[in-house]
């Protein structure tokens, strides 16, 4: 085939991805004087996990940020401590320290960008609640003069020596190849919830940033940690969607097929009240999602499931509670359309919500490769083994801003690379191979994606064991082989092929790390090693690109502030 | 329940913004890329992102039980 002529663009800071982190990075880079180009493979901002999130933010802002259903921190120290305890010491303590200290200012600053409500958006903003965050960020970035282009899929990064100097991709709307020269590049592509059959993330989160980083040679950390959201609907004919925090939901009771309130045997209740999860179990649901998710899947695993799921009994919800807030009304009218929760319990089963690990960064969001930054869900280290509800969005605004600032500062010092033409010619040949391959005997990207999602959900979901993970790795190798024979008719098809390969790579990283971690910690639970083992596993698993494959590098956690032994169970530091 | 998504194919220019904007991949191009195929409506979240992004204003999400965002937001204020 013949290509349309290549479009060449140049900018100071190139941001790949336009969710919360990408948009916040754009604003900050512009404030520091850089010319900014934001590209997204789909649409700008509006199809991102930030937008489809509940909109909860965690920060030490007593008296200001007071959502009655989540933990309130009176000091950044408390925020740091809770994040470390929930992350079970796998966090990079320098990263959570920065997060806890900067979160209050970054949250308040949202007002300047036109965010009207930043406390519990799910009560005040029409679904998708994260619109209340994304739309003002987009508008503000535009006001400052950031350029944003939808439909651009970068497939490779450009290098000038060992420094990243832009990217090569294509525009699905004009069907033209594109080369973008940049002095600094920020990956803000989000995670890879889509590698799981059951997920609560948007369909575009296919781990593309992991693939770009992998090709550039960055290290990844804690990839075995994938967080699952508990109450994702599993009712035939209804959307597979998380049931956002709403007034009515707090009167719901999880039951197994025998009708037992099984959660009480996993999380001993403190009171009998059911009008708030926190009152009943002592902690807000959003902070211990992985434990609730594991309890639900364990019931099904032990044969007490109903049609492969558990039942969420909302028959006791006082009728007026369905009218109490916008989230309850939306849940009832849209998510449960035509289903009567007043008489029939609804099937629910967890789904992937967040990849906690990712590209290893420092507090300036620098990766191992000069000129390449990462922020948001694509980066790892902030959350460790589990995440507090609300910390993901705070991570996007704190680290998005940091990435934008440091990328802009770097861009002020360096020049555009030269002699890049040979690199983009070779990338174009890669797409051409896919486009020119005969459809006869070729494999389909959609089929590979579907099969991978089933494999990952079956073997690397909330419950894992050695045999399952090994079998999954063998099956992923077969899919890898099939992915060498992908065919596409258009650049949209090439994009699907790139996504399938990114998902396979992410799946392999999750499986390999999960197999290596022979203990249970946070979101990672091994049926064959059900206990936390600080003696052997107070370590991070780094995934290092090694030729076409990967290798693991296990390193003891850098305990820069606290070690488990220095913290008593009452949360006070033990001083000897 | 009366959820429906309608595309006026005479007006549709196949820009693909509905495909790119859908969080649950409801839309695909058909084999020859001559029209948009709508998948299983059970997955639809009625976020109306497709409607908002349709460049030719030829896509309608029909679900009278839940009004458009602009209506609800005016009512929330």
């Amino acid at each position: 085939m013949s290509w349309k002529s290549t479009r060449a663009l140049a900018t100071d800071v190139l941001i790949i991805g336009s969710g919360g982190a990408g948009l916040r990075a754009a604003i900050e880079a512009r404030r520091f004087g850089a010319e900014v180009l934001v590209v997204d493979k789909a649409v700008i901002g509006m199809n991102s996990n930030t937008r489809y999130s509940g909109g909860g933010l965690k920060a030490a802002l007593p008296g200001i940020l007071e959502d009655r259903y989540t933990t309130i921190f009176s000091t950044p120290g408390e925020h740091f401590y809770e994040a470390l305890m929930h992350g079970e010491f796998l966090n990079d303590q320098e990263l959570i320290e920065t997060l806890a200290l900067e979160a209050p200012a970054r949250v308040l600053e949202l007002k300047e960008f036109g965010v009207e409500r930043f406390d519990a958006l799910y009560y005040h903003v029409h679904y998708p609640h994260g619109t209340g965050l994304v739309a003002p960020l987009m508008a503000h970035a535009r006001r400052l003069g950031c350029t944003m282009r939808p439909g651009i899929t970068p497939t490779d990064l450009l290098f000038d020596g060992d420094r990243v100097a832009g990217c090569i991709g294509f525009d699905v709307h004009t069907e033209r190849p594109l080369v973008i020269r940049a002095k600094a590049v920020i990956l803000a592509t989000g995670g890879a919830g889509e590698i799981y059959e059951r997920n609560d993330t948007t369909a575009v989160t296919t781990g593309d940033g992991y693939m770009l980083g992998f090709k550039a040679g960055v290290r990844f950390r804690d990839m075995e940690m994938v967080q699952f959201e508990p109450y994702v609907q599993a009712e035939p004919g209804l959307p597979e969607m998380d049931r956002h925090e709403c007034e009515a939901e707090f009167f719901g009771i999880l039951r197994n097929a025998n009708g037992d309130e099984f959660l009480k045997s996993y999380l001993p209740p403190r009171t009998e009240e059911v009008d708030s999860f926190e009152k009943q179990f002592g902690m807000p649901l959003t902070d211990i999602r992985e434990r609730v998710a594991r309890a639900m899947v364990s019931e099904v695993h032990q044969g007490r499931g109903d049609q492969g799921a558990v039942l969420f009994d909302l028959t006791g919800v006082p009728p007026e509670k369905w009218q109490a807030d916008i989230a309850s009304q939306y849940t009832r009218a849209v998510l449960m359309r035509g289903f009567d929760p007043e008489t029939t319990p609804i099937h629910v089963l967890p789904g992937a919500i967040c990849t906690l690990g990712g590209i290893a960064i420092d507090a300036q969001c620098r990766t191992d490769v000069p000129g390449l930054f990462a922020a948001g869900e694509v980066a790892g280290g902030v959350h460790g083994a589990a995440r507090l509800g609300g910390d993901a969005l705070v991570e996007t605004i704190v680290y998005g801003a940091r990435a934008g600032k440091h990328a802009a500062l770097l861009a002020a010092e360096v020049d555009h690379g030269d002699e890049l033409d040979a690199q983009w010619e070779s990338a174009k040949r890669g797409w051409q191979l896919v486009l020119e391959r005969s459809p006869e005997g070729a494999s389909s990207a959609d089929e590979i994606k579907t099969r991978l999602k089933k494999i990952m959900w079956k073997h690397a979901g909330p419950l894992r064991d050695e045999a399952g993970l090994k079998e999954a790795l063998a099956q992923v190798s077969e899919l890898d082989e099939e992915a060498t024979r992908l065919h596409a008719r258009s650049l949209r098809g090439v994009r699907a092929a790139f996504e399938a390969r990114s998902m396979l790579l992410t799946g392999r990283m999750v499986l390999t790390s999960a197999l290596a971690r022979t203990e249970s910690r946070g979101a990672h639970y091994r049926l064959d090693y059900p206990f936390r083992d600080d003696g052997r596993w107070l370590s991070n698993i780094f995934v290092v690109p090694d030729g076409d494959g990967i290798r693991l590098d296990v390193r003891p956690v850098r305990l820069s502030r606290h070690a488990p032994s220095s913290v008593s169970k009452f949360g006070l530091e033990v001083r000897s | 329940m009366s959820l429906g998504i309608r595309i006026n194919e005479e007006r549709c220019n196949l820009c693909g913004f509905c495909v790119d904007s859908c969080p649950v991949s409801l839309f695909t191009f058909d084999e020859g890329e001559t029209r948009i195929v709508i998948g299983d409506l059970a997955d639809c979240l009625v976020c109306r992102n497709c409607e908002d992004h349709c460049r030719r204003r030829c896509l309608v999400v029909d679900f009278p039980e839940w009004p458009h965002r602009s209506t609800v937001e005016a009512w929330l204020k």
Side-chain angles (χ1 to χ4, degrees):
Chain A
M1 70 168 278
S2 63
W3 291 101
K4 287 187 185 172
S5 60
T6 300
R7 174 118 193 251
L9 298 172
T11 183
D12 291 341
V13 175
L14 169 67
I15 299 170
I16 305 174
S18 65
L23 293 170
R24 186 63 191 83
I27 290 171
E28 201 67 8
R30 197 78 193 95
R31 281 171 156 184
F32 276 81
E35 193 187 336
V36 176
L37 172 63
V38 181
V39 299
D40 196 295
K41 68 171 173 177
V43 297
I44 298 295
M46 289 302 183
N47 191 3
S48 62
N49 276 349
T50 304
R51 195 208 180 190
Y52 285 91
S53 70
L57 293 157
K58 275 248 163 83
L61 282 170
I64 295 171
L65 204 62
E66 290 201 333
D67 172 5
R68 64 200 164 113
Y69 292 123
T70 61
T71 313
I72 298 160
F73 303 127
S74 39
T75 63
E78 266 180 37
H79 189 173
F80 171 87
Y81 177 81
E82 286 297 320
L84 182 62
M85 288 297 120
H86 281 82
E88 303 203 29
F89 288 91
L90 285 200
N91 322 54
D92 181 325
Q93 297 191 13
E94 200 189 327
L95 293 184
I96 31 172
E97 196 176 304
T98 309
L99 182 88
L101 286 169
E102 289 190 2
R106 291 296 182 211
V107 170
L108 288 179
E109 192 186 20
L110 290 173
K111 275 189 185 173
E112 281 175 37
F113 308 148
V115 177
E116 288 173 20
R117 303 293 300 247
F118 45 75
D119 51 331
L121 289 175
Y122 38 82
Y123 291 127
H124 312 296
V125 178
H126 179 277
Y127 183 86
H129 317 296
T131 315
L133 195 57
V134 168
L137 286 177
M138 269 169 73
H140 195 72
R142 285 217 172 92
R143 270 200 293 278
L144 295 182
C146 301
T147 311
M148 301 190 221
R149 292 175 60 98
I152 291 176
T153 309
T155 61
D156 297 82
L157 294 173
L158 279 175
F159 279 86
D160 178 30
D162 62 351
R163 185 175 66 83
V164 170
C167 80
I168 316 150
F170 47 79
D171 183 335
V172 294
H173 297 298
T174 59
E175 290 265 321
R176 272 168 85 169
L178 200 73
V179 54
I180 306 171
R181 288 161 205 258
K183 295 173 183 171
V185 176
I186 300 173
L187 292 177
T189 51
E194 193 64 12
I195 61 173
Y196 286 91
E197 184 184 15
R198 290 193 59 77
N199 69 69
D200 179 36
T201 58
T202 89
V204 292
T205 54
T206 50
D208 303 359
Y210 297 140
M211 180 55 108
L212 290 171
F214 175 82
K215 285 186 183 173
V218 303
R219 283 177 315 150
F220 300 80
R221 57 178 288 167
D222 308 329
M223 289 303 288
E224 67 278 25
M225 300 303 173
V226 180
Q227 194 184 31
F228 293 89
E229 172 76 31
Y231 302 160
V232 179
Q233 291 188 163
E235 191 69 39
L238 293 182
E240 183 185 292
M241 185 61 197
D242 161 37
R243 312 167 51 69
H244 281 298
E245 293 76 0
C246 57
E247 185 81 23
E249 300 280 298
F250 288 102
F251 295 85
I253 297 166
L254 283 173
R255 298 187 192 276
N256 60 22
N258 308 332
D260 304 330
E261 285 183 49
F262 63 86
L263 207 51
K264 289 183 174 173
S265 54
Y266 294 85
L267 297 169
R270 296 182 173 187
T271 67
E272 286 303 310
E273 287 182 76
V274 286
D275 68 325
S276 148
F277 188 95
E278 186 176 2
K279 270 188 206 156
Q280 198 181 8
F281 294 108
M283 267 179 278
L285 169 70
T286 47
D287 288 352
I288 49 166
R289 285 185 268 210
E290 64 287 342
R291 288 193 232 172
V292 179
R294 191 180 309 136
M296 293 163 70
V297 178
S298 296
E299 285 298 299
V300 178
H301 183 71
Q302 291 164 30
R304 293 189 291 275
D306 186 83
Q307 297 170 30
V310 294
L311 293 160
F312 194 33
D313 183 355
L314 295 156
T315 54
V317 178
E320 71 276 9
K321 295 292 175 194
W322 288 111
Q323 296 301 320
D325 55 25
I326 187 78
S328 300
Q329 291 173 38
Y330 171 80
T331 299
R332 181 73 196 267
V334 180
L335 294 183
M336 303 172 86
R337 50 191 181 237
F339 184 93
D340 185 6
E342 282 169 28
T343 55
T344 322
I346 189 165
H347 288 91
V348 287
L349 195 63
I353 184 176
C354 182
T355 31
L356 301 173
I359 295 173
I361 55 165
D362 64 11
Q364 279 83 49
C365 294
R366 290 179 299 204
T367 67
D368 298 333
V369 179
L372 184 64
F373 298 78
E377 195 182 339
V378 73
V382 176
H383 308 300
R387 173 175 75 81
L388 292 169
D391 262 4
L393 292 187
V394 163
E395 180 194 8
T396 66
I397 57 172
V398 168
Y399 283 99
R402 288 195 148 234
K405 172 183 169 184
H406 292 285
L409 291 177
L410 176 72
E413 285 173 11
V414 299
D415 284 326
H416 282 297
D418 41 40
E419 294 176 29
L420 309 174
D421 294 7
Q423 293 173 52
W424 57 268
E425 282 304 330
S426 96
K428 253 163 68 172
R429 273 196 296 280
W431 317 332
Q432 198 143 357
L433 273 178
V434 177
L435 288 164
E436 287 176 353
R437 186 169 289 121
S438 149
E440 303 275 316
S443 42
S444 129
D446 285 346
E447 197 193 314
I448 289 176
K449 287 181 181 176
T450 309
R451 280 167 58 193
L452 174 75
K453 287 162 76 141
K454 285 192 195 306
I455 295 167
M456 294 300 291
W457 174 246
K458 185 170 177 197
H459 298 298
L463 303 180
R464 303 163 172 182
D465 64 18
E466 184 180 326
L469 291 166
K470 281 186 170 162
E471 193 190 323
L473 272 169
Q475 291 175 356
V476 167
S477 296
E478 282 173 28
L479 290 180
D480 273 336
E481 199 276 321
E482 284 186 32
T484 60
R485 289 182 282 111
L486 285 165
H487 153 77
R489 296 170 60 105
S490 65
L491 284 175
R492 282 185 180 274
V494 178
R495 179 173 78 187
F498 176 70
E499 288 175 343
R501 286 178 186 152
S502 305
M503 286 166 68
L504 285 169
L505 170 73
T506 314
R508 174 172 295 277
M509 292 199 284
V510 171
L511 291 167
T512 313
S513 308
L515 184 61
R517 186 172 285 282
T518 49
E519 65 152 358
S520 291
R521 186 185 293 263
H524 170 73
Y525 187 82
R526 287 277 300 255
L527 289 162
D528 41 357
Y529 297 93
F531 302 107
R532 173 166 143 181
D533 183 353
D534 274 352
R536 288 175 60 210
W537 277 110
L538 203 56
S539 299
N540 294 112
I541 301 178
F542 286 86
V543 179
V544 187
D546 188 9
D548 284 340
I550 55 172
R551 70 181 165 80
L552 298 185
D553 180 14
V554 180
R555 295 189 176 206
V557 180
R558 209 157 46 89
L559 299 163
S560 56
R561 285 222 174 254
H562 292 291
S565 55
S566 72
V567 177
S568 81
K569 65 178 175 179
F570 302 109
L572 302 167
E573 200 174 339
V574 179
R575 294 181 199 276
S576 54
Chain B
M1 192 200 63
S2 55
L3 173 61
I5 297 179
R6 287 178 285 117
I7 297 175
N8 180 344
E9 290 188 4
E10 278 175 21
R11 280 183 60 76
C12 174
N13 65 353
L14 300 168
C15 69
F17 271 101
C18 53
V19 179
D20 289 353
S21 64
C22 181
V24 293
S25 299
L26 204 61
F27 306 95
T28 44
F29 282 94
D30 72 345
E31 189 66 14
E33 302 203 353
T34 54
R35 58 186 289 264
I36 303 286
V37 182
I38 304 171
D40 185 358
L41 286 180
D43 298 332
C44 178
L45 305 172
V46 199
C47 66
R48 301 182 197 264
N49 215 13
C50 47
E51 210 174 67
D52 291 345
H53 281 87
C54 183
R55 290 296 196 264
R56 304 270 293 174
R57 293 273 175 264
C58 61
L59 186 153
V60 176
V61 179
D62 202 5
F63 188 61
E65 287 89 336
W66 194 252
H68 193 271
R69 183 179 315 111
S70 50
T71 315
V72 180
E73 267 162 17
W75 155 57
L76 278 171
K77 276 175 185 166

